[in-house]
Each structure stands twice: as structure tokens, then as C-alpha cells.
């Protein structure tokens, strides 16, 4: 869930705050499905009664930096020197397996001119018929796909909230396979790498009193403030501010507009960080079964006021309100020294490094606004998405789950190395005991299969053990005090149907305040409109499901 501009839907709502993960899949297609009852009711009681797959973590590869039950991921300094192929035979039995997947990369070469895809088919044991769709086109393409009625074996739906979406539980019950009998409890032992996925991730797949998909799990280290540690060192600026006042002063100290250098790449980055300093809730706060949105929290209005001051002071990149702002490139080029992102961006920045060997990324912890220690960061959901399977005979479902098990082979195995990096000598070379992708590999391996299902994520910066350790230590520091969104794994029909449109309205209202077009007091009327247009309905639907 990576955005490209300040105060767009992602940076305004951030990945943790707008992901009621039970609603993390779905799409405009669902508006065409009946909203009448189909199958077991999608109720909190039915869903809480579902026995999730037993969790059996893979222990054959020992991490250099061990994770824990709080959500800290395993860290690895390098890839095992002699990875073992752990699945001896192809999981499929010939024929074709179809999947509808997304990609955030350029569309890869087709099967006929893609050696990686050809080898992937051999290893899977079937022809993978992949419909690979750019993320920006996913909603439209998915609606067209399902309107025709010919669903693929695996389908990766768009991420809500999306206008017009409704009936996700009904769609799943009518068109998709209930996987409970195949995966619940110790039944998952037949697929040991699916059993290696945490219970928190599987919980996001529960609808209608059953398990209706496969999770793509991710770490919970969510809304993080990255900074260019190499440049902070060069300028002699303290990267550990003790209060908002010290943070603001650091922003002024590193900014030099005459040299095209600003402290922050986007206003959205500042909003997320200052909101955490003030203790603004992560999406929603819950007390005695009642929810309050962070939109309604007075501290959020205070956040907008403080960031508006920062915009006026000129410490934020002046072009950052452009929806197409290339803020990641600004960060790598050093024209923006701080930016909010997910932990998954850490190795990406190193891969895209244009600054040379001195380049170094680090993570800044939010201080409490007035000082006195660190504030809690916002957690992100434990999944990126989940993938339903279309209804099929039991033998077919078992074959598809065997393929999914292969796709979830964990870090350290030969299967993982091939799946992520491709063919040695063609798609990658080994440097410092780590796979270094070639240009061919970067182009050929982005088939979107990682969004069908995936192994649990790890902390790993290929070829850079120092960067890996720094990322691990940062996550180890912030996760114990990080703040969850209480609506994660809950589904709201109103949120799925109208959440995106309402979020955009609030994003526009916030931008008007930050740029000085409207007063701070205008936020009250924007929130009142959000409540009457659907916010109160979302709240009520979420509250019904709180345990």
C-alpha cells in the first residue's frame, strides 16, 4: 500500500489506519453480486468460532537476528550458502492453473520470451496462465473479469475502500471455496509451509464462519519515518529529537532551498509522524466497546495545525502536493531527507541507491510531543492481501493448495531463492553471499505470484548485512510500544462501499488546511460530513464485531 504523494489516500489514512483487513480484498465487481444471504452468516460469533490453521513455524534455517511473537521479523545477514530444495516433486499434475494478479512493476515479458516463467511452469508442474494487471488498473480489470463469470483458480482482488463495493462476504460464499476443511486446525499439516504462516495473518481470511482465502503475510512495523543517516551525519544534525520542537528545529537545520534540499519529502510524512507524537489513535481507538475515529480526535486537528506551520516554514518539499510527486526518488537523491514508509521499503531504497557507497538509511522514532520519551508508532496489518480460490472439486482444491504451499516455501530454501530471484547467472548473481538481481531478473521475475500467497516476510537487505542489522534493531525498538488498529480483521460493508470516497473528501479538506486555503476550524465541518455520509455507519458495523 504504497502511495506517491502527500495526503493522498495512503499517506492520509496510512497503511495501518485504513486497513480493516477483513475488508482488505474486494472490488467494484462485488457491486454486481447479490447482497442477499448466501451461505453461513458473516457474523462475529460465526467467525470467532472458526478454528484457524495450526501454527507450525519453519525452523530448519536459523536467523541471524531472531523474531518474536510481538511481530518482530527474523533477520538474515545473507542467504544460506547451500540452500536445499525441500519439495522434491512438482506440486501440480499438469494442465493449466489460472491466476489474476497485480504488479507494481512494469509488465514482464510474456511466457514465450521469459525464461524465468518457463522454468517456473516446470517447477510448479503446470502451465501458469497469469493475468498480470498494473495496480492502477486492478479495480476495472477485476470488475470486467468477474462480470464474465469465468473466474480464475486464484484471484487477487483490489484493496478497498472503493466506491461501489458491496457484498464481499456474499461474493465469497457464492463464488469462492470455503477452505476450512482443508486447512483448519491440524489439517494444514498437509501443507507445512502454509502452516508456517502466523495465526494473525490467517485471521484476516475468515468470513461467513469459514476460511475463504490464503494470506500474504507481512510484518506489523507500519508507519515509519525513514531518514538519510549519511546526510544527517554530514550536516551534524541530531537524528533523535526529544520533542516536536527539537524535531522542527532539525527540519530547519537540514533544509536549504537554495540547494534544492528539504527536510521532508511530503506533508503526509509529517502528518503521520506528528500525529504519533501526539498520541493520535491508529485509525480508531476503542473504549468499552465504543470506537472513535482518529479524524474525530482533537489531537488530529492539532496535528494539522502543527504541520501547516511546517509547510509555511518551508521545510517540506514544495512540489509534494502534486499527486504524481516522485518522493522516493527525492529521498534517494537527497533532495528530501525524511519520508514516511513501510519497513518493506528499506531494501528497496538500497537497491535504488544513486548516492554511492556512503548511502545509509535509518529509522527515526517519534518523541512524545512535549518530550519525556518515545511515542508509539502505528502498526500496520499482518497481511498485505488475501487471495480467494474459486469453487472446485476437492481434488482440484488440494492440488491448488499444494501449489500455494510451494509458493510459500520460506527464506533459506532453494524454492524461495528461485521464486524471488530467478535463475542464477541469468536473473541474479551472488555477491557477498546474497543474490544481486540483474536487469533481466528485475524484468522477468515480477509476475505477481507473490500476491497469491507468500512465505512470512523477513528482514534482509541483499549484500548489505549492516543495513539488515540496522533495520532489525529499529523494528525491535519500536514494535513493543507500537499501536494497533482495533478494527483490523473486521469487515464493514459501509467502509468497503464508501470508505475510499469519504477518505478522499477528508484528504482534500486536510490539504486545504495544510496549504492555507482554509482555516483549521474547517476540519470540524469536514468530519461532521464524514460522519453523516457513512462514518457513523462504519463505526456501528465495526462495533458490532468487537469482542
Amino acid at each position: 500500500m504504497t502511495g506517491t504523494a502527500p495526503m493522498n489516500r495512503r499517506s492520509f489514512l496510512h497503511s495501518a489506519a485504513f486497513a480493516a483487513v477483513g475488508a482488505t480484498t474486494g472490488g467494484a465487481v462485488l457491486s454486481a453480486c447479490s447482497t442477499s444471504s448466501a451461505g453461513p452468516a458473516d457474523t462475529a460469533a460465526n467467525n470467532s468460532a472458526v478454528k484457524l490453521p495450526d501454527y507450525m513455524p519453519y525452523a530448519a534455517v536459523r536467523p541471524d537476528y531472531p523474531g518474536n511473537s510481538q511481530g518482530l521479523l527474523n533477520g538474515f545477514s545473507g542467504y544460506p550458502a547451500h540452500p536445499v530444495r525441500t519439495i522434491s516433486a512438482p506440486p501440480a499434475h499438469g494442465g493449466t492453473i489460472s491466476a489474476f494478479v497485480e504488479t507494481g512493476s512494469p509488465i514482464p515479458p510474456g511466457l514465450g520470451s521469459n525464461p524465468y516463467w518457463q522454468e517456473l511452469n516446470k517447477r510448479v508442474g503446470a502451465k501458469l496462465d497469469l493475468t498480470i494487471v498494473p495496480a492502477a488498473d486492478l479495480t476495472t480489470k477485476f470488475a470486467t473479469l468477474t462480470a464474465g463469470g469465468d473466474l480464475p483458480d486464484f484471484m487477487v482482488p483490489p484493496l478497498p475502500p472503493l466506491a461501489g463495493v458491496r457484498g464481499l462476504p456474499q461474493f465469497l460464499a457464492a463464488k469462492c471455496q470455503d477452505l476450512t476443511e482443508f486447512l483448519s486446525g491440524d489439517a494444514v499439516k498437509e501443507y507445512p509451509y502454509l502452516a508456517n504462516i502466523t495465526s494473525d495473518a490467517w485471521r484476516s481470511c475468515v468470513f461467513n464462519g469459514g476460511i475463504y482465502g490464503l494470506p500474504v503475510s507481512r510484518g506489523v512495523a507500519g508507519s515509519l519515518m525513514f531518514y538519510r543517516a549519511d546526510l544527517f551525519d554530514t550536516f551534524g544534525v541530531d537524528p533523535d529529537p526529544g520533542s516536536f520542537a527539537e524535531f522542527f528545529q532539525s527540519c530547519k537545520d537540514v533544509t536549504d532551498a537554495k540547494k534544492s534540499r528539504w527536510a521532508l519529502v511530503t506533508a503526509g510524512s509529517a502528518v503521520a509522524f506528528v500525529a504519533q507524537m501526539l498520541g493520535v489513535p491508529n485509525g480508531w481507538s476503542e473504549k468499552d466497546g465504543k470506537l472513535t475515529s482518529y479524524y474525530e480526535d482533537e489531537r488530529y486537528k492539532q496535528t494539522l495545525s502543527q504541520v501547516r506551520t511546517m509547510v509555511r516554514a518551508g521545510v517540506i518539499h514544495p512540489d509534494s502536493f502534486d499527486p504524481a510527486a516522485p518522493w522516493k526518488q527525492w529521498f534517494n537523491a537527497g533532495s528530501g531527507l525524511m519520508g514516511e514508509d513501510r519497513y518493506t521499503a528499506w531494501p528497496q531504497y538500497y537497491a535504488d541507491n544513486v548516492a554511492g557507497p556512503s548511502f545509509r538509511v535509518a529509522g527515526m522514532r517519534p518523541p512524545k510531543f512535549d518530550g519525556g520519551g518515545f511515542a508509539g508508532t502505528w502498526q500496520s496489518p499482518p497481511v498485505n492481501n488475501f487471495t480467494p480460490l474459486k469453487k472446485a472439486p476437492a481434488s482440484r482444491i488440494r492440488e491448488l493448495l499444494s501449489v500455494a504451499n510451494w509458493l510459500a516455501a520460506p527464506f533459506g530454501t532453494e524454492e524461495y531463492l528461485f521464486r524471488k530471484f530467478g535463475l542464477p547467472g541469468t536473473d541474479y548473481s551472488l555477491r557477498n553471499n546474497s543474490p544481486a538481481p540483474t536487469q533481466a531478473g528485475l524484468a522477468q521475475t515480477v509476475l505477481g505470484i507473490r500476491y497469491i500467497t507468500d512465505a512470512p516476510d523477513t528482514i534482509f537487505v541483499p549484500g548489505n548485512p549492516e543495513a539488515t542489522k540496522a533495520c532489525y534493531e529499529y523494528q525491535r525498538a519500536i514494535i513493543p510500544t507500537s499501536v494497533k488498529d482495533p478494527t483490523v480483521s473486521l469487515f464493514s460493508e459501509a467502509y468497503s462501499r464508501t470508505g475510499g470516497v469519504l477518505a478522499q473528501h477528508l484528504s482534500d479538506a486536510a490539504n486545504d488546511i495544510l496549504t492555507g486555503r482554509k482555516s483549521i476550524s474547517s476540519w470540524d465541518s469536514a468530519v461532521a460530513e464524514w460522519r453523516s455520509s457513512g462514518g457513523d455507519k462504519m463505526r456501528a458495523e465495526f462495533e458490532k464485531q468487537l469482542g
Side-chain angles (χ1 to χ4, degrees), residues 82 118 218 252 268 301 372 468 475 478 530:
H82 303 288
Q118 295 164 15
R218 291 289 184 265
K252 294 175 182 177
K301 191 161 66 169
T468 296
Q475 292 194 37
I478 64 172
W530 170 82

Side-chain angles (χ1 to χ4, degrees), residues 82-123:
H82 303 288
V84 176
R85 186 177 294 196
T86 60
I87 300 175
S88 58
H93 313 304
T96 298
I97 293 175
S98 56
F100 178 91
V101 296
E102 71 169 311
T103 182
S105 305
I107 298 296
L111 176 60
S113 55
N114 191 328
Y116 170 77
W117 195 341
Q118 295 164 15
E119 179 65 18
L120 177 64
N121 285 350
K122 292 178 184 177
R123 297 195 181 203

Side-chain angles (χ1 to χ4, degrees), residues 392-410:
S395 59
R396 177 63 168 176
I397 295 299
R398 291 190 177 94
E399 181 181 22
L400 295 174
L401 290 175
S402 293
V403 171
N405 182 69
W406 186 90
L407 291 171

Side-chain angles (χ1 to χ4, degrees), residues 260-277:
S260 299
R261 187 179 69 240
W262 293 270
L264 288 144
V265 291
T266 67
S269 296
V271 167
F273 201 58
V274 175
Q276 291 169 50
M277 291 185 198

Side-chain angles (χ1 to χ4, degrees), residues 182-198:
F182 304 96
L183 298 175
S184 179
D186 63 5
V188 77
K189 290 180 179 179
E190 187 173 345
Y191 314 101
Y193 293 148
L194 297 182
N196 183 45
I197 299 173
T198 65

Side-chain angles (χ1 to χ4, degrees), residues 372-395:
F374 293 115
T377 56
W378 288 330
Q379 279 195 18
S380 52
V383 297
N384 183 77
N385 63 279
F386 88 97
T387 302
L389 282 63
K390 75 173 180 181
K391 288 187 176 182
S395 59

Side-chain angles (χ1 to χ4, degrees), residues 25 97 152 394 408 449 465 474 476 505 528:
T25 56
I97 293 175
I449 58 173
Y474 179 52
R476 186 170 70 166
H505 289 165

